[in-house]
Amino acid sequence: MKLEQVEGYEYIEGGVCAAAGFVSGGCNCGLNPDKAKNDLGMIYSERICSTAAVYTTNKVKGAPIVITQKNLEATGGKARAVIVNSKNANTCNADGEQKAWRMCELAAQQLQIDPREVVVASTGVIGQVLPIEPIEEHIAQLAADLSPQNHEKAAEAIMTTDTVKKEAAVSFKIDGRTCRLGGMAKGSGMIHPNMATTLNFITTDAAVSAGMLQKALGEIVKITYNCLSVDGDTSTNDMVCVMANGAAGNTEITEEGDAYESFKTALYLVMLHMTKMLAKDGEGAGKLLECICEGAPDLDTAITAAKSVIRSPLVKCAMSGADANCGRVLCALGYAEADLDVHKIDVELASAKGSVMVCRDGNGLSFSEDEAAEILAEDEIKICIQLNQGNAKATAWGCDLTYDYIKINADYRS
Amino acid sequence: MKLEQVEGYEYIEGGVCAAAGFVSGGCNCGLNPDKAKNDLGMIYSERICSTAAVYTTNKVKGAPIVITQKNLEATGGKARAVIVNSKNANTCNADGEQKAWRMCELAAQQLQIDPREVVVASTGVIGQVLPIEPIEEHIAQLAADLSPQNHEKAAEAIMTTDTVKKEAAVSFKIDGRTCRLGGMAKGSGMIHPNMATTLNFITTDAAVSAGMLQKALGEIVKITYNCLSVDGDTSTNDMVCVMANGAAGNTEITEEGDAYESFKTALYLVMLHMTKMLAKDGEGAGKLLECICEGAPDLDTAITAAKSVIRSPLVKCAMSGADANCGRVLCALGYAEADLDVHKIDVELASAKGSVMVCRDGNGLSFSEDEAAEILAEDEIKICIQLNQGNAKATAWGCDLTYDYIKINADYRS
């Protein structure tokens, strides 16, 4: 996957521990019967962190979401730790909030912090009671093993149907001070825009106030995770959480300006990279799809149009079959909830193998089917839409729809 | 499939020719290279018909939709014939409207009527120029072969990825006069609510004014076709057209009252039956899914909730795999755009083999997985939702999501 390059920003290793002062770990506590797979993860910063989060907009909210929201409200956007499990979403259970709070207490006890300084998250099956004993029994071991080297263990602990772990990090400068920002993500199916997104934890050693951190997160999530669709379904447990501990020593960012913009670019690069990783690892995905919509009257129209195309099951099937069916793209633009003149639209399909114009002024074009099939046989496809109705531009990310998506989800709980 | 029974209404044979005075036919004109498959169909009534139609809400509208709308406006909702082809949607082509109008002229010439009295429709691939020659060459043969016996030939002519032809008809009484109402439908993928629906032609010998026909169609489409989702995609060419020629001899229905209600029930039964046939024959479908949402504060909320569940790819996959995953249902209710108290919801899954409660008060229940799997192994599944928030009720129909949906759509144009 090609990484977007911006001068002054360097991609580095380290994931959620790339930033100074963060340690993490992960283990198998037994929620996952496969002992080789981690199911419990922790992140910790001794320095208190400004903490911002966005959550799913699903009305069925996981109990951990409810507890995390309460905690961050109580502390005014401060936290020191994250505790997270996979395999069980702790959602739609009568004792869900009690269990989520118990997870905070267990983590806090080990780290000798206030349980309200803990962010809690769960992902997995909905509607099954979360057994707390495996977590109680393994929390000490997990806390004892925390280290800056163990970022991969934490990244593995949040994987569900993910086939690869997802980490990204950059280093950059604010006030001449070197800062780092990195994160980890999980999420493969049940990922859809309009909603928070997926489970993501991002840490930085830059000093940023809780308010400016929340503002930056809101701006960047709109053009990254919220432009990602795997299947149009929206999870009950999704959360993106950013923690800033200030260990880099820059003057705390408390208002807009150059420092804020520099920080936001770092956040954008990491979230963009993780968005593309999430799309490419969508459940059953064979191809990464990128829909670039240009020439829109405004940003919201560009986003709506790009997302409508990326979400369409028929577009996704056509791309799976390397079928340059421009009708599927136009149809999805036609039902997008945006004010578009469909008679002005041009569509081009592209990959590393070249590009082919399939539609001009809303009308299908003749093209070499052989050439088109060769272009679409690649595993990263760009659907380039020119609306010819303005200057705004947006990109949405997704994947093709394949047999494996159905295989994975026909019997998800087993 | 169980037919809904209403006293005084009898299911009969005859499809689009069940009503007196209607003839139809179908042939292969060569748009479909498989000569065994009809691709051109015609319906005709010598008596002029009150004609009502609803269309797709997609902004990319097929040229035939545009021409039919113009024709019905010009005649004030009167028509005598339908000409329809499959294999090519005549959409997103620069010469589309010209070709659609030419189809009206060709039919009118044979039938010696005004071309504006012709309803024209096309379904198939988008963005490829419609060759008009095959239609020109076969129109005389098609018109010569029109008969009340040939309703199946017409029903076959509109099939695309449909695996069975879809016809339904009832007889009933108005003012002591026997009336008949019947229709044919096509549509398998790219069927979604919120929009018109799929290609449907319904005829009746009841006398109904154009205005009351449009009113009845609007009311019934809302609770039948518009509650149907196969994949969430919405075609550019969908249309439901009802023609009433008055041959039954009842006093023309020009206002609400008993006669209007009797007529509407007939329309409901035929459209309900075709809706279920469309759902069961959804692309790649292995099972008919029916989501019955009760206890809603109002009808719109009930419809929105039922449709959100029936549309969810994850619910569809779970049903395909006979997995009683209540989390998928609750999740889909949670992101439905309706004001729901998710903590009051009960969910039951049912089939001919029995039923199992999987959720009460928004919390997952324990149940026998073996029993649930046996119930869900059936090919008609009911997802019964009790919102416990009022007295309104609605049903939505769909199908499971299977490998075959992807197989069909990965290379639709070949």
Side-chain angles (χ1 to χ4, degrees):
Chain A
M1 199 180 299
K2 232 180 109 188
L3 296 175
E4 187 148 327
Q5 299 299 333
V6 176
E7 210 191 310
Y9 293 78
E10 194 187 338
Y11 290 94
I12 57 174
E13 298 296 310
V16 84
C17 298
F22 287 94
V23 291
S24 71
C27 69
N28 176 283
C29 74
L31 291 171
N32 193 333
D34 181 349
K35 296 283 170 202
K37 288 186 177 161
N38 289 353
D39 53 23
L40 190 63
M42 194 185 268
I43 306 170
Y44 173 61
S45 164
E46 201 182 320
R47 296 171 72 115
I48 190 100
C49 302
S50 296
T51 303
V54 289
Y55 310 95
T56 181
T57 54
N58 197 309
K59 280 180 284 289
V60 177
K61 283 196 203 325
I65 297 274
V66 176
I67 296 300
T68 294
Q69 279 182 306
K70 278 189 192 165
N71 285 354
L72 288 179
E73 267 171 42
T75 60
K78 298 286 175 187
R80 275 193 166 88
V82 174
I83 179 89
V84 54
N85 72 278
S86 53
K87 268 299 187 189
N88 187 312
N90 190 19
T91 298
C92 297
N93 298 319
D95 66 354
E97 294 187 27
Q98 188 188 323
K99 295 272 178 72
W101 175 246
R102 180 75 185 129
M103 285 174 70
C104 296
E105 286 181 329
L106 288 168
Q109 209 167 13
Q110 294 298 322
L111 302 168
Q112 297 186 287
I113 60 176
D114 184 330
R116 293 174 304 175
E117 290 171 358
V118 180
V119 167
V120 58
S122 299
T123 180
V125 176
I126 297 172
Q128 292 184 353
V129 171
L130 174 71
I132 198 73
E133 299 74 17
I135 301 174
E136 286 172 340
E137 287 160 14
H138 289 79
I139 193 81
Q141 167 200 331
L142 178 64
D145 194 40
L146 292 174
S147 109
Q149 278 73 51
N150 286 346
H151 55 93
E152 291 193 357
K153 287 192 181 177
E156 282 161 13
I158 59 174
M159 289 168 69
T160 51
T161 53
D162 304 67
T163 66
V164 292
K165 56 179 175 293
K166 294 159 188 94
E167 298 184 288
V170 291
S171 74
F172 58 107
K173 286 212 184 331
I174 295 178
D175 310 335
R177 297 275 187 166
T178 298
C179 303
R180 296 146 213 97
L181 183 145
M184 63 186 200
K186 85 102 205 174
S188 183
M190 224 195 221
I191 295 176
H192 183 56
N194 286 330
M195 326 288 171
T197 52
T198 168
L199 224 50
N200 283 255
F201 301 99
I202 296 167
T203 59
T204 181
D205 45 26
V208 190
S209 72
M212 293 312 285
L213 199 60
Q214 188 71 43
K215 184 175 160 62
L217 178 59
E219 286 181 47
I220 301 302
V221 88
K222 177 176 176 174
I223 56 169
T224 56
Y225 298 154
N226 280 4
C227 287
L228 167 67
S229 181
V230 167
D231 55 16
D233 264 298
T234 307
S235 165
T236 53
N237 288 53
D238 290 341
M239 183 198 303
V240 185
C241 175
V242 187
M243 300 170 77
N245 70 2
N250 62 300
T251 309
E252 190 183 47
I253 298 168
T254 55
E255 56 181 25
E256 292 191 48
D258 289 348
Y260 176 72
E261 292 302 323
S262 297
F263 174 75
K264 230 171 57 179
T265 298
L267 190 60
Y268 171 71
L269 290 175
V270 165
M271 287 175 65
L272 174 68
H273 189 191
M274 290 207 289
T275 296
K276 289 167 85 166
M277 281 192 282
L278 287 164
K280 189 155 190 174
D281 194 31
E283 280 174 352
K287 300 175 191 219
L288 169 66
L289 305 182
E290 216 171 307
C291 180
I292 301 146
C293 179
E294 297 187 273
D298 53 63
L299 180 63
D300 285 344
T301 302
I303 291 175
T304 302
K307 277 159 69 167
S308 187
V309 171
I310 221 72
R311 182 183 179 169
S312 159
L314 290 169
V315 168
K316 290 154 72 77
C317 282
M319 292 301 112
S320 166
D323 181 21
N325 190 334
C326 79
R328 301 308 202 197
V329 175
L330 282 166
C331 177
L333 288 169
Y335 64 69
E337 290 184 4
D339 192 18
L340 301 178
D341 181 347
V342 294
H343 300 292
K344 289 187 174 174
I345 298 172
D346 302 334
V347 181
E348 188 175 21
L349 302 172
S351 76
K353 280 279 165 62
S355 67
V356 56
M357 284 292 299
V358 294
C359 172
R360 194 176 298 279
D361 301 329
N363 293 321
L365 298 174
S366 308
F367 50 84
S368 156
E369 292 282 353
D370 288 348
E371 204 184 307
E374 202 189 320
I375 289 166
L376 297 182
E378 292 293 293
D379 67 355
E380 296 192 11
I381 307 293
K382 284 188 166 63
I383 303 167
C384 306
I385 293 161
Q386 175 51 258
L387 296 177
N388 289 308
Q389 289 156 56
N391 296 310
K393 175 183 171 180
T395 303
W397 296 270
C399 59
D400 56 345
L401 181 57
T402 69
Y403 294 178
D404 284 345
Y405 175 83
I406 290 165
K407 194 168 167 188
I408 292 165
N409 287 300
D411 202 12
Y412 173 67
R413 296 182 310 148
S414 328
Chain B
M1 198 181 299
K2 232 179 110 187
L3 296 174
E4 186 147 330
Q5 300 298 333
V6 176
E7 211 190 310
Y9 292 78
E10 194 187 337
Y11 289 94
I12 57 174
E13 297 296 311
V16 84
C17 297
F22 287 93
V23 291
S24 71
C27 70
N28 175 284
C29 73
L31 291 171
N32 193 331
D34 181 350
K35 295 285 168 200
K37 289 187 177 160
N38 289 352
D39 53 23
L40 190 64
M42 195 185 267
I43 306 170
Y44 173 60
S45 164
E46 200 181 321
R47 295 171 73 116
I48 190 100
C49 303
S50 295
T51 303
V54 290
Y55 310 96
T56 181
T57 54
N58 197 308
K59 279 179 285 288
V60 177
K61 285 196 202 325
I65 297 273
V66 176
I67 296 300
T68 295
Q69 279 182 305
K70 278 189 192 166
N71 285 354
L72 289 178
E73 267 172 41
T75 59
K78 299 284 176 189
R80 275 192 167 90
V82 173
I83 180 86
V84 54
N85 72 278
S86 53
K87 268 301 189 189
N88 186 313
N90 190 20
T91 299
C92 297
N93 299 320
D95 66 355
E97 294 187 25
Q98 189 188 323
K99 295 273 179 70
W101 175 245
R102 180 74 186 130
M103 285 175 69
C104 295
E105 286 182 330
L106 289 168
Q109 208 167 14
Q110 294 298 322
L111 302 168
Q112 296 186 287
I113 60 176
D114 184 331
R116 292 174 305 174
E117 291 171 357
V118 180
V119 166
V120 58
S122 299
T123 179
V125 176
I126 298 171
Q128 292 183 353
V129 170
L130 174 71
I132 197 74
E133 299 75 17
I135 301 173
E136 286 172 340
E137 286 160 15
H138 289 78
I139 193 82
Q141 167 201 331
L142 178 64
D145 194 40
L146 292 174
S147 109
Q149 278 73 51
N150 286 346
H151 56 93
E152 291 192 358
K153 286 191 183 178
E156 282 161 14
I158 58 174
M159 289 168 69
T160 51
T161 53
D162 304 68
T163 65
V164 293
K165 55 179 174 293
K166 295 159 186 91
E167 297 185 289
V170 292
S171 74
F172 58 106
K173 286 210 185 331
I174 295 177
D175 309 334
R177 298 276 187 164
T178 297
C179 302
R180 296 149 213 94
L181 184 145
M184 63 186 199
K186 85 102 205 174
S188 184
M190 226 195 220
I191 295 175
H192 183 57
N194 285 330
M195 326 289 172
T197 53
T198 169
L199 224 49
N200 283 257
F201 301 98
I202 296 167
T203 59
T204 181
D205 44 26
V208 189
S209 72
M212 293 311 286
L213 201 60
Q214 189 70 44
K215 183 176 160 65
L217 179 59
E219 287 181 47
I220 301 302
V221 88
K222 178 176 176 175
I223 56 170
T224 56
Y225 297 154
N226 280 3
C227 286
L228 168 66
S229 181
V230 167
D231 55 15
D233 264 296
T234 307
S235 166
T236 53
N237 287 54
D238 291 341
M239 183 198 303
V240 185
C241 174
V242 187
M243 300 171 77
N245 70 2
N250 64 299
T251 310
E252 190 183 48
I253 298 168
T254 55
E255 57 181 25
E256 293 190 48
D258 289 349
Y260 176 73
E261 292 302 322
S262 297
F263 174 75
K264 229 171 57 178
T265 299
L267 191 60
Y268 170 71
L269 290 175
V270 165
M271 287 175 65
L272 174 67
H273 188 190
M274 291 206 290
T275 295
K276 289 167 84 165
M277 280 193 282
L278 286 165
K280 190 155 190 174
D281 194 32
E283 279 174 352
K287 300 175 190 216
L288 170 65
L289 306 182
E290 217 171 304
C291 180
I292 301 145
C293 180
E294 298 186 273
D298 53 64
L299 179 64
D300 284 345
T301 301
I303 290 174
T304 302
K307 277 160 69 166
S308 187
V309 171
I310 221 73
R311 182 183 178 172
S312 158
L314 291 169
V315 168
K316 292 154 72 77
C317 282
M319 292 300 111
S320 166
D323 182 20
N325 190 334
C326 79
R328 300 307 202 198
V329 175
L330 282 166
C331 178
L333 289 168
Y335 64 70
E337 289 185 4
D339 192 17
L340 301 178
D341 181 348
V342 294
H343 300 292
K344 288 186 175 175
I345 298 173
D346 302 335
V347 181
E348 189 176 22
L349 302 172
S351 77
K353 280 280 165 64
S355 67
V356 56
M357 284 293 298
V358 293
C359 172
R360 195 177 296 280
D361 302 328
N363 292 321
L365 298 174
S366 308
F367 51 84
S368 156
E369 291 282 351
D370 288 349
E371 204 185 306
E374 201 189 320
I375 289 166
L376 296 183
E378 293 293 293
D379 66 356
E380 296 192 10
I381 306 293
K382 284 187 167 63
I383 303 166
C384 306
I385 293 161
Q386 175 54 256
L387 295 178
N388 289 308
Q389 290 156 57
N391 296 310
K393 175 183 171 180
T395 303
W397 296 270
C399 58
D400 55 345
L401 181 57
T402 69
Y403 292 177
D404 283 346
Y405 174 83
I406 289 163
K407 194 169 167 186
I408 291 165
N409 287 299
D411 202 11
Y412 173 67
R413 296 181 309 150
S414 327

